[in-house]
Amino acid sequence: MDLLSSLRGDAADRPESVRVGEERLSRGELLAAAGAVARRIAGAPAVAVYASPSLATVVGVVGGLLAGVPVVPIAPDSGASELAHVLTDSGAAVLLAGAREAATLGAPWTECGVQLLPVAVSERGEVPSGPVPAEDATALILYTSGTTGVPKGVPVTGRAITADLDALAEAWAWTEQDTLVHGLPLFHVHGLVLGVLGALRTGSRLVHTVRPTPEAYAKAAGSLYFGVPTVWSRVAADAPSAKALSGARLLVSGSAALPAPVFTRLHELTGHRPAERYGMTETLITVAARAHDPARRPGVVGRPLAGIETRLVDGAGAAVAWDGASVGSLQLCGPTVFEGYLRRPDATAAAFTEDGWFRTGDMAVLEPDGTHRIVGRASTDLIKSGGYRIGAGEVENALLAHPAVREAAVVGAPDEDLGQRIVAYVVAEDVTERELIDLVARELSAHKRPRSVVFLDALPRNAMGKVRKDRLG
């Protein structure tokens, strides 16, 4: 069954099917509100959605899907130049925003020739009865973070979304009996595709907390929780809120590696071992720990989802052993992988191998049973120092094991002698540089120790909590 058939298939009222903050709609009300939007935007080449954490965003996105119009989620904090690029590049002719937000939006929206349409959550309309859009038609146009240039458009088909959500439902035993809770941004794969469309497809109840605070997570009383490491770190630091999650069925972490100390603390307070998963805008979620695996470990993202194949290669393209130690470049293929960047044939060609596998740009270690451990980005997290290949993640976890260290990021800096020297950026109090260097040398090995430690008040992060290592140094 395709994605839209699932959305259309159950219009019967289910009280509080979707709740965002204090706003709530039954499934029937959501479909009727989205139906009203769908009729207003029918025939548009693409529709942008001002993706604030609001019920209007959910209604706007579902309305676009029902109308068969590609939906372009826009981060509310987008700068003027990035916003103009995304609107122009995607070809969006319409911008949907909540009624109150629409009243305050002006340039550069209007300067890009975009028609602004307010979304009234209370409006009702018939769900379009025309043909269901083809499964291989573009459902969403998501944009990469732009850390290595202007953001690139990633067309995502309904078929890819359906394949991904069904595979995740199987991996996490996700059913209509669940109540999903999260407070993640609604313009990324994690918060929107998994966190909204996943709930609609499985039929589970959705509670979006607007902000992912420990108190809001505890109050929501869900069975399934989504978060990123920053969220889980804050939950782990709030013992009463963390203990309130002990009645949940599964805690899921993604978008970046969950630090081992946070994993351990959550297990101590909630009784749960978080399930980590791996994915990208271009591939959706491709590897995930299973709900039925009680031996989940920190830093381990599990095995490929149904239909996904992965492989590790070295710099020359030769296979890297699945021995639990050798680091290689992760490549993958399967039904969730996109076909190419929007209007960027050069970037598309560079992203795929000659035999059609997608180059993730991430480094990983595979165990003999196919379990994956992501080391980090090849461009920033694989450090070549003194002839050794060192994953930044293991050094970061060693630093985070010190009770005085709250945050840590490790990068490789150019060095005439070593090639690259390890530099650690930490948020910590009452600990010296020498103590931290010695800790890593003792816990890992001497060649993995930082050559210098820089103390910061906070690490630079993006909206999903990923550290912006390009801003360090």
Side-chain angles (χ1 to χ4, degrees):
M1 181 170 62
D2 64 78
L3 175 65
L4 291 179
S5 293
S6 173
L7 294 178
R8 294 180 180 189
D10 176 17
D13 277 358
R14 185 174 182 184
E16 295 190 17
S17 178
V18 177
R19 192 178 92 201
V20 182
E22 297 305 316
E23 298 180 290
R24 60 200 72 197
L25 289 176
S26 70
R27 191 177 181 91
E29 290 168 338
L30 170 61
L31 290 172
V37 170
R39 292 187 177 278
R40 295 174 69 193
I41 64 174
V47 58
V49 175
Y50 185 80
S52 63
S54 66
L55 206 50
T57 296
V58 177
V59 170
V61 169
V62 176
L65 295 176
L66 291 176
V69 176
V71 174
V72 187
I74 302 288
D77 62 350
S78 296
S81 59
E82 180 177 315
L83 178 58
H85 165 71
V86 171
L87 291 175
T88 302
D89 187 65
S90 66
V94 178
L95 165 68
L96 299 176
R100 284 177 294 181
E101 294 161 336
T104 64
L105 294 174
W109 304 95
T110 53
E111 293 175 358
C112 294
V114 175
Q115 179 188 6
L116 179 60
L117 289 179
V119 174
V121 173
S122 60
E123 189 176 358
R124 300 289 180 264
E126 294 292 328
V127 175
S129 58
V132 173
E135 289 186 76
D136 57 358
T138 298
L140 301 174
I141 302 176
L142 304 174
Y143 276 78
T144 61
S145 60
T147 56
T148 57
V150 296
K152 297 187 288 290
V154 177
V156 182
T157 66
R159 187 192 306 275
I161 295 172
T162 297
D164 202 47
L165 295 178
D166 288 352
L168 287 170
E170 178 184 5
W172 295 336
W174 187 2
T175 73
E176 63 181 7
Q177 302 303 315
D178 280 306
T179 293
L180 169 63
V181 177
H182 75 91
L184 302 174
L186 298 182
F187 47 88
H188 282 295
V189 169
H190 199 166
L192 177 60
V193 178
L194 276 63
V196 172
L197 301 183
L200 293 176
R201 181 158 182 83
T202 60
S204 65
R205 182 170 174 251
L206 168 62
V207 176
H208 191 284
T209 60
V210 180
R211 295 181 63 245
T213 64
E215 298 82 4
Y217 271 36
K219 183 179 178 181
S223 61
L224 177 62
Y225 284 81
F226 290 168
V228 297
T230 301
V231 172
W232 291 125
S233 178
R234 293 170 181 170
V235 170
D238 184 337
S241 293
K243 290 177 180 178
L245 304 188
S246 60
R249 184 177 63 77
L250 186 67
L251 311 182
V252 176
S253 183
S255 298
L258 185 64
V262 176
F263 183 104
T264 301
R265 183 63 174 159
L266 285 173
H267 184 216
E268 292 171 351
L269 292 171
T270 69
H272 294 292
R273 295 177 178 271
E276 296 190 62
R277 90 297 181 280
Y278 169 79
M280 301 177 66
T281 305
E282 294 91 337
T283 68
L284 303 181
I285 307 306
T286 51
V287 182
R290 274 33 177 196
H292 57 71
D293 180 5
R296 293 187 291 271
R297 293 170 286 151
V300 176
V301 294
R303 293 174 287 105
L305 296 175
I308 301 295
E309 295 182 69
T310 62
R311 68 185 185 188
L312 288 184
V313 299
D314 62 19
V320 170
W322 294 18
D323 58 10
S326 301
V327 177
S329 298
L330 181 64
Q331 299 178 353
L332 53 85
C333 64
T336 69
V337 179
F338 82 139
E339 294 184 359
Y341 296 105
L342 188 66
R343 304 184 228 284
R344 293 288 300 275
D346 54 339
T348 298
F352 288 89
T353 65
E354 291 184 359
D355 56 349
W357 289 64
F358 178 69
R359 297 184 171 102
T360 67
D362 285 317
M363 309 302 293
V365 172
L366 268 66
E367 297 177 4
D369 65 354
T371 298
H372 291 55
R373 181 161 51 87
I374 306 300
V375 175
R377 297 296 292 171
S379 57
T380 57
D381 293 322
L382 181 65
I383 302 170
K384 299 177 181 178
S385 182
Y388 294 99
R389 292 161 60 90
I390 302 158
E394 62 177 337
V395 181
E396 290 163 357
N397 275 332
L399 291 166
L400 288 166
H402 193 291
V405 177
R406 298 196 303 275
E407 298 182 76
V410 169
V411 300
D415 187 277
E416 291 184 2
D417 179 46
L418 298 170
Q420 287 182 304
R421 67 181 183 278
I422 301 173
V423 180
Y425 293 82
V426 302
V427 178
E429 296 178 355
D430 301 323
V431 64
T432 66
E433 178 182 44
R434 175 47 54 191
E435 286 179 276
L436 294 179
I437 291 173
D438 290 345
L439 169 69
V440 176
R442 183 172 63 253
E443 295 297 323
L444 298 180
S445 63
H447 72 267
K448 295 181 180 180
R449 72 190 186 280
R451 301 300 172 130
S452 61
V453 177
V454 180
F455 292 88
L456 300 175
D457 292 331
L459 297 179
R461 297 180 182 272
N462 65 14
M464 291 301 291
K466 293 182 180 180
V467 175
R468 291 290 304 271
K469 291 191 175 181
D470 57 313
R471 295 184 178 177
L472 297 174

